[in-house]
Structure formats: C-alpha cells, structure tokens
Amino acid sequence: MAMQLLIIAGPEKGQVFPLTVGDTLLVGRSRATATKLTDPHVSRVHCQVEFDGERATVADFESAGGTFVNGQRITKQQLEPGDIIQVGGTELRLQSDAEQATVRRSDTVVGKSGETVAAPLNNLVGQTLAHYAIESVIAKGQAAVVFRAQDTKDNRTVALKVLEPEFSKDEDEKQRFVRAMKTMLPLRHPNLVTLYGAGKTGPYCWAAMEFVEGESLTQVIQRIGVAGMLDWRYSLRVAIHIARALDYAGQRQIIHRNVAPPNILVRSEDKLAKLGDLMLAKALEGTLAIQITRRGELVGDVAYMSPERTRGTTDVDARSDIYSLGATLYALLTGRPPFEADSLPETITKIRQAEPEKLKKFQLSIPDMFEGTVLQMLAKRPDDRYQSATQLLTDLERVAKLNGVVV
C-alpha cells in the first residue's frame, strides 16, 4: 500500500510527501531534509520516518521541542494510517495515496472576514442540514464550525456545530459520537449550554445547541485588553456560574477537558454565564478525535491547560477543569492568561514551572480571599488545588456573601 505524509497544520499546510518503500524521509528545516520546513519551531533535522512497504515508523532526532504522535511525546514509534506527527507548530498526517483525493475536498478557502475555513463546511451556509436551515457562521475551529441556524421543526434559533467530515469517516469514532450525544441529551442545567439534538447527515456529524445571545469570554478578554479594568465582581459571578456547571457535571462523572474562554458564553439579557461543549468531552475520546481536537487545543487554548494536560495525557480529572477555570478567571481579571510566551514550548514550560503574578498587582480592589481562591485553582500539583467543584463553589459563594455580591 502506497503511503504519504500530508501537512495539515503549519506554514507548508497542504504539501504532500510520498513515502517510498525502503527510503527514510528526514523531517526538518535543513535543506538536507526532504521537507525543508520553514516553521521556526522545527529543528534543522527534527525526526525521520521510515517506510518498509507495510508499516511506517517515526523516530525523534533529539530535537529541541520533541516529536509527538497523537499528542504523546515519542522517541520512536510505529505509525498507523491516520496518525498525526507534530513537530513544532507543524502537523503531518499519515495516509494512503487513495485518501488524498478526499483530503483535497477539505482544503481551506478564505471566508468573508478573511479567515480560512474548510471549504465543505463553509459551503453549508444557505443550505439545510437535517431540519436546520443554516444562516451564517458564528465561530470556526480546527475540529468544527458553529453556525447560526433555524430549526424548521421546532421553530427556534440554534447554534449548529458541524464536525469536519474526516471525523465521521471512521465508524468507531462515529458511533462513539452518537453514544456520547445520547448521554448528554438529558443533561439540563442553567449554566450549561443545552444540547437539543445530534446526529449524522451525509458526511457530517452535527450537534444542535441552545443559541446564546451574548458574547464569549474570549470577546470579553479581547475587549478589556491588557488594561484589565473589568470589575472583579463580574469575574466572581462567572466563576460561581461555571463552578455550578462543573459541580453538576462532576456529580455525573463528566469532565470537560477544555474549559477556556471560547467555551464560556455570557448571555446579554441577564449576564448568566454558560459552559458549552460539555458533550464533546465525552464524544471526543477516540484516537482520531484526539488528533482532530488537539490542533485547536494546542494552538488556541494552551494558555488555559493544566500542567498535567500539557504532557499530552488523557488521564485527567475534575481538578484539571478547576485549573482551566482558574486560568480563565485570571485572564478576566488581568486581561491576559497567567502564562504567556513567544513560543509554544516556552508557554508550556511556564505553565509547568512558573508562578503567576499576584492579582492585586493588576487590581488592588480584589478581595484577598478571592485572589487566594484563584491562585489555589492554579496550583501546579492537582493535590494542591480544590479537589472538587463542590469544594470550590463553597469558597466562591463565601466570597460573594462576605462582599455583598449578588449572583
């Protein structure tokens, strides 16, 4: 079977490298390599891929940033079709030659606002998927696009999340998604974005959710900027609302795994904060799903990852969500996440080793107890954080009561 590596993320996105039987493909920036990548975070000779006609193997060349396969750092590992190799900010997917024609249909195009989006998903605007008339794009990610749509059956506006077509190609992944959606459908909580329905239509897996008229915390943080002048009471209310959502999920043994500003919405009419994408925590547990979502998580939300999550492990618990909520609150209070750097490896190093600056440096009016709560949420060791959302919620509500904040 003929194989190839397709660059799916990075400066050379879309470039293909055939794997010839018996040859060794060197990956790196050097002119001596087959790839000659321009990604500055890639070593001159980063790793090599060998193909014997039946199986491919990747081996790291003691690179500065390491070589990762499906989120796990490796020294040497045998590859399976669909596996994704990450070197620096570049990702290469192993696939058969026969898959290339399908992949080309997913190439990106430029949208109205200049963003790049997957052509098949972008083209859904103006069409009907199942009984949802798609009107416009709300948000774009690496794994999916969220549309504003009209539910023609129940006559209501919904947020329709459609996953990339590659997700539903694998039958096991598709069935895992369907089972997870069935698990999530009965969940109802004021601080969770409601899931109305989910399914698969043609090549698309989709989920129809409550449409929240308001803004995401990403938009809030961008608006306040580095001035960080957002009243701490706003952040406290958000903290309590999302802690309630996590407490509800935790009692049902559900971990979110990606609590971050884009996944928290604040409703305009009453400033109620709602946590979204809870169902994806359960749906996206397979190898392929990890590959798809990991691109967006590492590039977009790494600043809100717990130290343990930066190590690529899926063995995380509710304390990881508590850290991520703490990092989100820190950004609300200061205008930036607790740890930032010029490169991904530097950011990860800071998350694992550095201590965050005191919040009072940015806002003197923040109550000591609230500052202490947020910093405890950001503890490096899970054992040093709050051990449950219930425990966290108790302290947050005490802060509100002592300071006369109505939530």
Side-chain angles (χ1 to χ4, degrees), residues 389-402:
T390 304
Q391 190 182 66
L392 168 64
L393 188 57
T394 298
D395 272 10
L396 289 171
E397 290 179 336
R398 185 180 296 123
V399 174
K401 184 176 181 180
L402 290 174

Side-chain angles (χ1 to χ4, degrees), residues 14 22 46-47 61 83 106 127 135 141 147 156 178 191 196-197 224 240 245 248 290 296 314 320 324 336 380 396:
H46 202 107
C47 65
F61 262 24
D83 282 351
S106 298
Q127 299 185 30
E135 298 179 342
F147 300 95
R156 62 186 170 193
V178 172
N191 299 113
Y196 294 138
I224 63 175
I240 291 173
Y248 175 84
I290 290 172
T314 57
S320 180
S324 295
R336 60 178 178 79
K380 302 299 181 190
L396 289 171

Side-chain angles (χ1 to χ4, degrees), residues 45-169:
V45 180
H46 202 107
C47 65
Q48 68 176 29
V49 178
E50 296 178 309
F51 182 55
D52 65 7
E54 294 183 1
R55 61 183 63 84
T57 304
V58 60
D60 184 64
F61 262 24
E62 297 184 352
S63 59
T67 299
F68 298 79
V69 175
N70 303 333
Q72 303 291 328
R73 187 164 185 163
I74 60 95
T75 301
K76 185 174 183 179
Q77 182 168 315
Q78 185 172 314
L79 299 170
E80 299 291 338
D83 282 351
I84 291 182
I85 303 168
Q86 183 196 7
V87 292
T90 297
E91 296 179 358
L92 306 94
R93 179 172 55 209
L94 179 69
Q95 61 187 32
S96 67
D97 283 346
E99 291 178 293
Q100 177 63 8
T102 302
V103 172
R104 279 180 177 162
R105 289 198 295 272
S106 298
D107 281 347
T108 57
V109 296
V110 178
K112 293 180 180 179
S113 302
E115 307 94 338
T116 56
V117 294
L121 296 188
N122 191 58
N123 289 346
L124 289 176
V125 174
Q127 299 185 30
T128 299
L129 189 65
H131 51 90
Y132 300 99
I134 298 174
E135 298 179 342
S136 60
V137 174
I138 298 174
K140 310 177 186 72
Q142 296 291 339
V145 172
V146 181
F147 300 95
R148 179 183 175 123
Q150 290 299 317
D151 184 342
T152 58
K153 181 179 178 183
D154 293 324
N155 193 29
R156 62 186 170 193
T157 302
V158 302
L160 186 69
K161 171 165 280 194
V162 184
L163 299 181
E164 287 287 353
E166 62 187 20
F167 177 85
S168 59
K169 291 176 186 175

Side-chain angles (χ1 to χ4, degrees), residues 209-257:
M209 302 167 289
E210 170 188 6
F211 180 79
V212 179
E213 192 73 62
E215 60 183 348
S216 70
L217 289 191
T218 297
Q219 294 169 301
V220 174
I221 293 166
Q222 289 172 344
R223 189 175 70 245
I224 63 175
V226 293
M229 296 308 293
L230 188 69
D231 192 305
W232 63 266
R233 296 169 184 83
Y234 180 101
S235 302
L236 178 59
R237 293 187 191 97
V238 168
I240 291 173
H241 292 173
I242 302 307
R244 288 171 178 169
L246 292 177
D247 184 34
Y248 175 84
Q251 292 176 22
R252 288 152 182 80
Q253 289 74 54
I254 297 171
I255 303 166
H256 192 288
R257 293 184 178 88

Side-chain angles (χ1 to χ4, degrees), residues 346-391:
E346 289 174 323
T347 299
I348 290 174
T349 298
K350 284 189 174 183
I351 290 172
R352 294 175 182 173
Q353 300 175 7
E355 292 300 321
E357 293 184 271
K358 300 294 185 181
L359 290 165
K360 280 184 173 292
K361 175 181 177 181
F362 301 90
Q363 285 200 54
L364 284 173
S365 62
I366 297 173
D368 291 344
M369 187 176 177
F370 188 28
E371 179 185 53
T373 298
V374 175
L375 293 179
Q376 185 175 342
M377 296 168 73
L378 291 172
K380 302 299 181 190
R381 296 175 62 249
D383 287 348
D384 294 333
R385 297 176 208 146
Y386 289 93
Q387 298 302 290
S388 68
T390 304
Q391 190 182 66

Side-chain angles (χ1 to χ4, degrees), residues 259-324:
V259 177
N263 292 328
I264 298 174
L265 304 174
V266 179
R267 195 162 61 191
S268 298
E269 62 178 282
D270 54 7
K271 303 305 178 186
L272 184 73
K274 287 176 170 278
L275 180 62
D277 271 0
L278 179 66
M279 70 283 184
L280 290 184
K282 196 163 184 70
L284 301 181
E285 289 178 342
T287 302
L288 175 61
I290 290 172
Q291 294 166 12
I292 294 173
T293 57
R294 188 177 152 278
R295 298 204 296 271
E297 289 175 355
L298 284 179
V299 173
D301 299 334
V302 65
Y304 302 94
M305 282 185 180
S306 64
E308 59 269 30
R309 275 199 63 215
T310 66
R311 294 182 168 87
T313 179
T314 57
D315 184 22
V316 297
D317 55 29
R319 295 172 297 181
S320 180
D321 284 347
I322 288 172
Y323 177 97
S324 295

